[in-house]
Amino acid sequence: MHTSTPSPSAFVGRDRELTTLREHLAAAFSGHGSLVLIGGEAGLGKTALAEALCREAAERGALVLVGHGYDLSETPPYGPWAEALAPAPANDQLPTLPAAVLPSERDGDPLTAQDAILRRVRDYLAALATMQPVIILIDDLHWADPASLDLLRVVGRGLADVPILLLAIYRAEEVSRGHPLAALIPLLVREAHAMRLDLHPLDAAAIGTLVTARYALDDADHDRLVRYLVGRTEGNALFLDELLRTLEGEDMLHGAGERWALGNLEGVPVPTLLRQVIEGRLHRLDAETERLLALAAVIGQEVPLSLWAAVAGTDEERILNAIEAAAGARLVSETPDGAGVRFAHALIREALYEGVPLTRRRGWHRRAGEVLLAMPQPDPDAVAHHLRAAGDARAFAWLVRAGLRAWRAAAWLTAAARFAAAAALPDEDGANARTRGWLHFCRVTLVVYADNAQGLRALDAAEPLAVAVGDRALAAYIRIHRGQLQCLSGEIRRGLAEMERGVAEMDALPDAYRPGAGREVALATLAALLPDGERATSVAPRASTAPTVTPYRGNLANWYRGNLANWRGQTGRYHEAVAMGEHFIAAHAAAPDNDRLAWGASAQLGLGHAHAALGRPEAARRAYAPARAGFSATGDAHMVGSTLWCELLLAVLPYQTDDPAERARLATEAARAWERARGAITDTPHDDPTDLFPALIDGRWADADRLAQGTLTAATAGYSQGAIVALGVLARHQGKPDRAWERVRALHPAGPETEPGDCYFAHGIALQALAVDLALDTGELATAARWIAAHERWLDWSDAVLWRADQLLLRARHAWASGETEGAVAHAEAALRQASEPRQPLRLLAAQRLLGELATDAGRYDAAATHLKASLALADACAAPSERALSLLALAQWCATTGDTAAARAALDEARSICTPLEAKPALARVAAIATRLAAAQAAPPRNPAGLSAREIEVLRLVARGDSNRAIAEALSVSVWTVKQHVAHILDKTGAENRAAATAFAFRHDLA
């Protein structure tokens, strides 16, 4: 392990932090590891604290592994981890580390799927920790590549029961809102229970303690020096040390016997910035040493002696002399193997680098790149960095090589960044036009789920290049992927048309193309376009006579033809999806297993959507299973998660709602899949949305709201539209109708006239039902009728079965609100039958509850009790507390009507206890209204002259008060038609000819 010598001020004022770190170290030695995040501004002593702990750990027998992120250079995939794992042991008792996380000189397992790479490193470290405690220090995490951050998250989550202490250091000022760490740190705290240590600048008391410990000054000089240091260092430990050394070097702070003396600080131009401090120390070095240090800063944070000497054009003896002088000035320290040096602090290197004039800096970068090029296996990231900084045209090819290496290591975001950098380089003569076109296309395939707008811009940049060089295959790919991105963005009609044109263009290509699939095709094409004709070993061309490696049209056209079936299934064109999907799968039944799985995944996915919507849940689940297997075979963990999400949403939640364990299992599996895909999906919410709709059903509305808010901005429209639905439903149930209407309009901009086919069908039709509910809540019957008609039009267009019971329930509620009780009962009974085959528990629940309310209203109390009992049983089976609360309200109304006040109050109490934490304001308002009527009835117990029922006496009281039928209906939460029926019964029983006579009857019997 390499650590630098701690500065004198490193531990002043850090007692709390040191204590915390030692507690975590002790826990690791007892078998309970942890992740500690150490943040703060540059120069506060973060690294010194961590390295001190590492020394203690090593002395106690732990294995210490240290890796760094580096600025001013292109960090390769898994760079900090490769550095940390370079000295890690390899033997038969340990899993073989992946080659992607090892230096090039070490052999490793050539894994290419990121999920496999991350799991293998996790398993290796867990096995290693059984031999001895392991301490891993990742320094300058803010400069780490995205793949390294993914690995940190995976390793960090599994430390609780293994003796591994993982320390990660980052500069807080570097982690802006858009930085990957900004989103990752809260996740590490929540998932891995990471401990955060945020270092703050030293205060005046800590600086005073340091001065007392180092210098025997009289009180006046002590206070004067402390004020001076506080004013000029602002508590930065690095600045503090350098400033004190400068004062000693200038003899303004010097020993006088056993005491120290302080000169006149006001009269000396003491540096206040680190650059000035460094320049002051450099000026005391000879010119050659100063030049060599500046050149080293151009090479990197860690500088091999051989590379330094070659770039400088000098011998190692002069380099060694320079090292001795620089080490004496505390600017550098030797690496553990003695083969190079590291700058003492990244700030020192930054200051030196920025002090080199631009022209000279570019020349040194070119020289460094050429020296690296002369080596047997030059690192493509290092070569690309130096050539790019030099403005050298050769940087283009080396950026492509660096991207290809990252691609093979499944570090997709790093690969996309390298390709973007290459494509952005000038190409004045158009020599790289074709390659640049493929670079733009490859970027899209790498981040297809991350940023649709960026992907579309990249394709727009690639298309004219493909046209200019006549690359018909690339043009077809661009069109297909543009359609895919448009569909993912929510422009589904337009995207489907574009994809269909692209598939037709690919079908029209000649047959002289070699086999290949997906990203492998693009990787091979790019490799072949490099100046030296580099090939990916696994995808060699069929015929050497072909001028370039061209993608095999059949494979990708097949995949996208299957994807067309998927998108038809997403958007409600269900019979088309079935026909296309089944034909596609039958046509490829004889293909090799892997190809059949990979090609058929999207087609199977489309079949799953269609079968679920057409009322065939078993067939849907039989289709989703091979879809998952196919995406898994191609390493597309994101689509594995998406398949599970769709299966949960369309096949499990509607048809198996009363199996909470199954919905929890699918949600967990989807979360794991999306976690594996996280590195390539920067815009997918870190709190994956799989749990969104289960949380709504389970009564975890705060979780549902958090998940929906986090998913609302997801790049993939399917997730963001799902969030819109969830937020709309929550808004209605929590008494925020205006917000709920906003959600409806988001997918239905033309209101009820919005046509199907341009949004995810399941989300669009759910929002139509929400619009009906919102209109009925406020008595806007005409508006509700228009939305019901739109809902039915969409169902007829799609021929869907799944939402037919919803349609009947909406019609039943509308009929009841319109006073058409008989029609309401007929629709509700039809909904019950529709929801029974295939069985849909939540819809059965809603139908039973509505029938119970209608029966109560009509005075058919025994039938009402049967329906409400069934509704409550279904709510319990589905573990759906909010649905239970609504059924309890219906039961309370039944109890109140039948005179069972105690049972009514018990039902209200339970409903209130469910609805209060959910903030379900409309339901709570119903609780209060029923409770008020119960209290009024208890204050004046009803008498039953003329055989009047309790409900008829309620109606008679309101008639005697002068209320109209509509006012009575609103007061009792019943329909106008029901009030008319009750009034007719009252007139008949009391012998009254009209309402006036009935009012007189009420007064005679003290009922008014």
Side-chain angles (χ1 to χ4, degrees):
M1 184 199 80
H2 164 69
T3 60
S4 58
T5 303
S7 64
S9 62
F11 309 122
V12 173
R14 304 298 186 204
D15 293 342
R16 179 185 65 84
E17 290 84 356
L18 269 173
T19 299
T20 299
L21 287 173
R22 284 169 177 155
E23 288 173 351
H24 281 269
L25 180 62
F29 269 89
S30 67
H32 301 289
S34 58
L35 168 62
V36 180
L37 303 170
I38 307 174
E41 296 176 2
L44 292 183
K46 304 181 296 297
T47 301
L49 277 175
E51 289 181 342
L53 192 77
C54 288
R55 281 191 293 273
E56 292 184 18
E59 291 168 0
R60 294 177 58 181
L63 174 64
V64 178
L65 304 173
V66 181
H68 302 80
Y70 296 108
D71 192 17
L72 305 178
S73 64
E74 300 289 354
T75 302
Y78 305 105
W81 289 94
E83 183 179 335
L85 293 170
N91 55 55
D92 294 340
Q93 285 74 46
L94 295 170
T96 303
L97 281 167
V101 299
L102 291 172
S104 57
E105 63 270 14
R106 275 195 61 178
D107 293 331
D109 196 337
L111 301 176
T112 57
Q114 189 184 51
D115 175 36
I117 292 170
L118 302 184
R119 284 189 287 109
R120 180 66 62 81
V121 175
R122 181 197 62 196
D123 294 345
Y124 170 87
L125 291 172
L128 181 62
T130 63
M131 301 176 179
Q132 67 183 124
V134 178
I135 313 300
I136 305 170
L137 170 58
I138 303 296
D139 201 357
D140 290 325
L141 186 66
H142 51 279
W143 288 328
D145 59 289
S148 291
L149 299 182
D150 292 335
L151 183 50
L152 176 75
R153 189 178 182 193
V154 169
V155 173
R157 279 203 312 259
L159 298 178
D161 297 318
V162 292
I164 298 176
L165 176 57
L166 177 53
L167 306 173
I169 302 173
Y170 64 95
R171 287 190 196 173
E173 70 271 22
E174 296 281 351
V175 184
S176 59
R177 183 175 182 180
H179 194 287
L181 266 183
L184 180 59
I185 288 173
L187 285 170
L188 293 174
V189 172
R190 185 167 68 251
E191 295 176 353
H193 305 293
M195 173 68 192
R196 290 188 65 174
L197 281 182
D198 295 317
L199 268 63
H200 300 285
L202 300 175
D203 57 20
I207 294 175
T209 300
L210 173 66
V211 169
T212 299
R214 289 180 61 172
Y215 308 106
L217 292 164
D218 61 42
D219 291 346
D221 281 350
H222 175 278
D223 294 344
R224 188 159 57 93
L225 179 57
V226 170
R227 286 195 301 271
Y228 179 84
L229 295 173
V230 169
R232 284 161 177 77
T233 68
E234 296 182 348
N236 185 292
L238 178 65
F239 292 4
L240 185 66
D241 284 334
E242 296 301 333
L243 188 52
L244 287 171
R245 287 178 178 274
T246 299
L247 291 176
E248 291 180 29
E250 296 292 335
D251 208 32
M252 295 307 300
L253 184 60
H254 56 87
E258 295 183 356
R259 306 289 296 175
W260 282 75
L262 184 66
N264 181 11
L265 297 174
E266 302 302 325
V268 177
V270 178
T272 58
L273 298 175
L274 181 63
R275 178 184 297 281
Q276 293 171 301
V277 173
I278 294 171
E279 288 174 352
R281 310 195 86 65
L282 287 173
H283 290 329
R284 292 196 293 275
L285 304 174
D286 61 79
E288 178 65 5
T289 299
E290 187 175 344
R291 184 186 76 86
L292 290 174
L293 280 177
L295 192 150
V298 170
I299 293 173
Q301 177 72 13
E302 189 166 303
V303 189
L305 296 183
S306 57
L307 177 60
W308 193 1
V311 176
T314 188
D315 56 53
E316 288 196 10
E317 185 62 30
R318 290 189 179 182
I319 296 294
L320 292 173
N321 291 335
I323 291 173
E324 290 178 3
R330 296 189 70 253
L331 297 172
V332 300
S333 60
E334 291 187 0
T335 55
D337 57 8
V341 297
R342 283 180 53 83
F343 282 94
H345 197 283
L347 287 175
I348 293 174
R349 184 204 170 198
E350 290 171 21
L352 285 166
Y353 183 87
E354 293 169 3
V356 179
L358 179 60
T359 303
R360 176 171 292 182
R361 189 192 304 168
R362 288 165 65 95
W364 283 349
H365 273 299
R366 180 174 290 105
R367 175 63 180 153
E370 289 171 346
V371 170
L372 289 170
L373 281 171
M375 294 181 175
Q377 290 184 320
D379 180 271
D381 284 290
V383 173
H385 162 65
H386 287 297
L387 294 180
R388 185 182 178 195
D392 192 304
R394 292 172 292 177
F396 180 86
W398 284 94
L399 281 168
V400 174
R401 288 186 180 89
L404 290 172
R405 180 177 74 167
W407 195 336
R408 295 183 187 109
W412 293 348
L413 295 181
T414 297
R418 300 294 184 268
F419 293 158
L425 292 176
D427 185 26
E428 296 177 1
D429 58 1
N432 295 321
R434 185 164 187 255
T435 308
R436 288 172 60 219
W438 278 96
L439 286 169
H440 286 304
F441 169 73
C442 290
R443 287 173 53 205
V444 175
T445 68
L446 289 165
V447 294
V448 65
Y449 309 119
D451 188 338
N452 296 333
Q454 182 187 54
L456 288 168
R457 288 194 296 271
L459 293 177
D460 289 342
E463 187 170 37
L465 296 170
V467 172
V469 299
D471 192 330
R472 293 169 58 199
L474 177 58
Y477 273 70
I478 290 168
R479 190 175 297 283
I480 290 172
H481 271 265
R482 180 184 287 118
Q484 169 83 345
L485 289 179
Q486 287 167 340
C487 286
L488 288 170
S489 301
E491 298 179 89
I492 298 176
R493 280 201 203 92
R494 182 181 174 192
L496 276 172
E498 190 80 348
M499 287 172 65
E500 288 166 349
R501 289 178 60 189
V503 169
E505 289 176 7
M506 192 165 282
D507 282 338
L509 294 173
D511 287 332
Y513 299 101
R514 63 148 188 89
R519 293 185 177 122
E520 289 184 1
V521 170
L523 185 149
T525 304
L526 277 180
L529 290 171
L530 289 173
D532 59 4
E534 176 186 306
R535 299 289 193 272
T537 57
S538 62
V539 282
R542 175 191 292 173
S544 59
T545 56
T548 56
V549 176
T550 312
Y552 173 61
R553 66 166 176 84
N555 194 319
L556 260 290
N558 280 341
W559 190 90
Y560 280 108
R561 194 169 283 107
N563 204 24
L564 287 172
N566 169 37
W567 282 108
R568 282 172 168 78
Q570 293 276 20
T571 54
R573 295 160 69 173
Y574 297 124
H575 290 297
E576 293 178 31
V578 170
M580 181 174 285
E582 289 180 345
H583 180 270
F584 180 91
I585 291 164
H588 295 89
D593 289 346
N594 285 342
D595 287 345
R596 188 177 68 255
L597 274 174
W599 297 350
S602 290
Q604 294 282 12
L605 185 57
L607 281 174
H609 306 329
H611 285 314
L614 293 171
R616 308 163 189 160
E618 294 83 5
R621 300 205 70 179
R622 286 197 299 270
Y624 283 130
R628 292 197 308 271
F631 290 125
S632 181
T634 59
D636 194 339
H638 171 79
M639 284 306 300
V640 173
S642 294
T643 303
L644 286 160
W645 151 273
C646 292
E647 184 174 2
L648 177 68
L649 187 65
L650 294 173
V652 173
L653 291 182
Y655 299 109
Q656 293 178 252
T657 330
D658 50 358
D659 189 351
E662 178 63 3
R663 71 187 187 227
R665 183 187 69 82
L666 278 187
T668 300
E669 283 190 22
R672 289 172 179 165
W674 270 328
E675 179 56 42
R676 294 195 296 271
R678 189 72 64 192
I681 317 169
T682 56
D683 218 22
T684 292
H686 284 285
D687 288 330
D688 72 84
T690 341
D691 195 34
L692 176 54
F693 289 101
L696 274 179
I697 295 172
D698 297 346
R700 294 177 287 114
W701 287 5
D703 287 344
D705 182 73
R706 174 178 55 79
L707 290 168
Q709 295 291 351
T711 308
L712 198 57
T713 57
T716 301
Y719 310 140
S720 60
Q721 290 180 10
I724 289 170
V725 172
L727 289 171
V729 171
L730 280 173
R732 176 184 175 241
H733 285 317
Q734 294 184 328
K736 303 168 185 174
D738 290 344
R739 293 188 187 178
W741 276 115
E742 288 175 11
R743 305 305 180 189
V744 172
R745 288 190 289 270
L747 292 193
H748 295 280
E753 308 309 316
T754 302
E755 292 300 323
D758 210 26
C759 72
Y760 289 73
F761 190 88
H763 301 324
I765 204 160
L767 286 173
Q768 288 177 328
L770 174 62
V772 177
D773 288 334
L774 290 167
L776 290 176
D777 288 345
T778 53
E780 299 174 68
L781 300 184
T783 299
R786 288 196 298 274
W787 280 103
I788 290 172
H791 189 273
E792 186 165 21
R793 188 175 74 253
W794 277 42
L795 288 177
D796 291 343
W797 175 83
S798 67
D799 208 20
V801 172
L802 177 54
W803 299 279
R804 292 287 176 182
D806 290 334
Q807 167 70 197
L808 291 164
L809 287 168
L810 294 173
R811 288 197 173 279
R813 289 187 58 220
H814 185 271
W816 191 19
S818 303
E820 302 169 6
T821 302
E822 291 182 2
V825 171
H827 286 310
E829 288 175 343
L832 190 66
R833 292 191 297 272
Q834 182 72 43
S836 299
E837 185 57 41
R839 190 170 183 275
Q840 302 156 60
L842 280 182
R843 292 170 173 90
L844 285 173
L845 187 162
Q848 293 281 15
R849 181 169 60 232
L850 181 55
L851 285 168
E853 291 173 315
L854 288 165
T856 299
D857 195 29
R860 295 185 291 108
Y861 301 127
D862 290 344
T866 300
H867 288 304
L868 294 176
K869 181 179 179 180
S871 174
L872 285 166
L874 282 164
D876 292 342
C878 295
S882 61
E883 292 292 339
R884 177 172 177 80
L886 295 177
S887 296
L888 285 167
L889 285 172
L891 179 64
Q893 183 67 56
W894 177 85
C895 292
T897 303
T898 58
D900 192 344
T901 302
R905 291 192 183 281
L908 289 177
D909 288 343
E910 185 181 349
R912 186 185 295 108
S913 69
I914 294 171
C915 294
T916 299
L918 298 179
E919 299 181 21
K921 294 179 182 177
L924 288 170
R926 287 184 60 191
V927 170
I930 297 172
T932 299
R933 290 201 296 274
L934 283 174
Q938 190 172 13
R943 295 165 59 193
N944 296 70
L948 294 173
S949 69
R951 174 50 64 92
E952 288 165 351
I953 288 175
E954 268 191 298
V955 172
L956 180 56
R957 289 179 185 279
L958 297 174
V959 168
R961 195 172 68 181
D963 287 3
S964 66
N965 286 349
R966 180 164 295 282
I968 295 171
E970 291 176 356
L972 299 181
S973 300
V974 298
S975 69
V976 174
W977 184 90
T978 300
V979 173
K980 290 179 179 178
Q981 292 294 106
H982 284 313
V983 170
H985 292 158
I986 291 168
L987 296 178
D988 182 58
K989 290 180 179 181
T990 61
E993 296 182 358
N994 50 40
R995 294 169 70 96
T999 299
F1001 179 89
F1003 276 97
R1004 285 197 305 274
H1005 293 83
D1006 297 325
L1007 298 177

